[in-house]
Amino acid sequence: MANDDHFHIYPIAESAITIEYGKEIAIEANQVLLRLQQRFHTSPFSGFIDTSITYNSLSVFFDPRQLFSEGQPSPLAFVLNRIKQNLKDFSQIAQEPFKGTHHLVPVCYEGPLAPDLDAVAGFHKTDPDSIVHAHCAQDWYVFMIGFNPGFSYMGILPDTLAMPRKSSPALQVPAGSVGIAGKQTGIYPNSSPAGWQIIGRTPLLVFNTKESEPCLFKAGDTVRFTRIDLETFQYLNQHANP
């Protein structure tokens, strides 16, 4: 285990090391980790395989067999040293430019496509239109992809939108369902169980194995939801999913 002024670094397996930065969910901290992630991918060390990012941590995966074959007596020590080298100039990492892709996502917040919208409005002692307006009123930042392939964790929602998870998860929601849980919002990429409050549905495919980049979103992207009516949803859904 290693520490410095900003990061907590520790192995999670013989072939992976995690770099933790902060404990709270914060866009600025996530972007520091994204910049660091870029460094590993643009200048990979020997044995490097991949990285995985969460709200406040970055895991680095490597092949210890390759490092052993190259004469490294301790692959973990070798990779830990490479990580520390990348972390030397924290101020530079914090200032390096990082700009994700911005997405405009149509969502229908009507009827059966929004089974929990009334409950969310009731929880906040307001009307459904106010919830929809707030959900569409600003850009949301994509912190990470997880749970299901292509599932995006976005935030940070204000207290006026934040919601507890369901006490009993839905056994299945359709692909494209837009949910809220805690101070997060996200889109279910395929039909699956769901513990989040479903307030709408998008006709967009957010995970498509036919594409060279299956995930529509990546960590560091931003998303703005825009309201559409049921007729528009049905038209777009028919053309997006022929």
Side-chain angles (χ1 to χ4, degrees), residues 223-238:
V223 173
R224 174 67 69 100
F225 295 111
T226 180
R227 187 176 193 170
I228 58 173
D229 59 24
L230 186 57
E231 184 178 356
T232 304
F233 172 87
Q234 291 170 339
Y235 173 83
L236 293 174
N237 190 54
Q238 180 181 2

Side-chain angles (χ1 to χ4, degrees), residues 55-88:
Y55 282 110
N56 55 16
S57 69
L58 178 70
S59 294
V60 181
F61 300 90
F62 55 93
D63 184 354
R65 295 170 298 180
Q66 180 180 336
L67 292 170
F68 275 128
S69 69
E70 293 174 359
Q72 294 294 339
S74 174
L76 275 174
F78 171 81
V79 176
L80 182 60
N81 183 59
R82 293 303 299 266
I83 289 173
K84 288 182 175 180
Q85 288 177 6
N86 273 320
L87 295 177
K88 274 184 179 179

Side-chain angles (χ1 to χ4, degrees), residues 7-231:
F7 300 94
H8 180 208
I9 309 166
Y10 53 92
I12 56 174
E14 293 181 350
S15 58
I17 293 177
T18 288
I19 307 158
E20 202 173 81
Y21 180 52
K23 298 292 184 183
E24 303 298 324
I25 297 175
I27 293 173
E28 295 80 6
N30 187 260
Q31 291 218 321
V32 166
L33 292 170
L34 282 168
R35 295 178 187 115
L36 183 59
Q37 183 181 49
Q38 281 183 325
R39 288 190 168 201
F40 287 113
H41 284 268
T42 55
S43 300
F45 55 83
S46 183
F48 173 81
I49 295 177
D50 203 355
T51 57
S52 177
I53 195 166
T54 70
Y55 282 110
N56 55 16
S57 69
L58 178 70
S59 294
V60 181
F61 300 90
F62 55 93
D63 184 354
R65 295 170 298 180
Q66 180 180 336
L67 292 170
F68 275 128
S69 69
E70 293 174 359
Q72 294 294 339
S74 174
L76 275 174
F78 171 81
V79 176
L80 182 60
N81 183 59
R82 293 303 299 266
I83 289 173
K84 288 182 175 180
Q85 288 177 6
N86 273 320
L87 295 177
K88 274 184 179 179
D89 191 355
F90 171 78
S91 60
Q92 182 178 340
I93 294 173
Q95 294 173 13
E96 288 173 0
F98 184 91
K99 186 172 178 60
T101 301
H102 182 65
H103 305 266
L104 189 64
V105 176
V107 176
C108 180
Y109 297 89
E110 297 179 13
L113 277 61
D116 302 315
L117 180 58
D118 286 343
V120 173
F123 180 87
H124 289 291
K125 297 180 172 58
T126 187
D127 57 89
D129 278 346
S130 296
I131 296 297
V132 173
H133 177 76
H135 196 246
C136 297
Q138 68 182 79
D139 297 341
W140 305 115
Y141 179 84
V142 179
F143 284 92
M144 63 179 182
I145 306 297
F147 165 60
N148 270 346
F151 187 94
S152 50
Y153 289 82
M154 310 178 201
I156 303 171
L157 272 61
D159 291 340
T160 51
L161 275 179
M163 279 292 295
R165 293 172 182 265
K166 293 182 177 180
S167 55
S168 297
L171 295 179
Q172 186 171 325
V173 298
S177 294
V178 179
I180 291 176
K183 293 190 173 185
Q184 311 163 113
T185 187
I187 303 171
Y188 285 83
N190 48 50
S191 179
S192 70
W196 292 29
Q197 311 286 345
I198 305 302
I199 63 167
R201 195 186 308 170
T202 179
L204 295 186
L205 287 174
V206 298
F207 183 75
N208 185 358
T209 56
K210 295 179 182 178
E211 298 290 340
S212 57
E213 292 284 349
C215 294
L216 179 61
F217 308 122
K218 293 181 180 179
D221 287 356
T222 53
V223 173
R224 174 67 69 100
F225 295 111
T226 180
R227 187 176 193 170
I228 58 173
D229 59 24
L230 186 57
E231 184 178 356

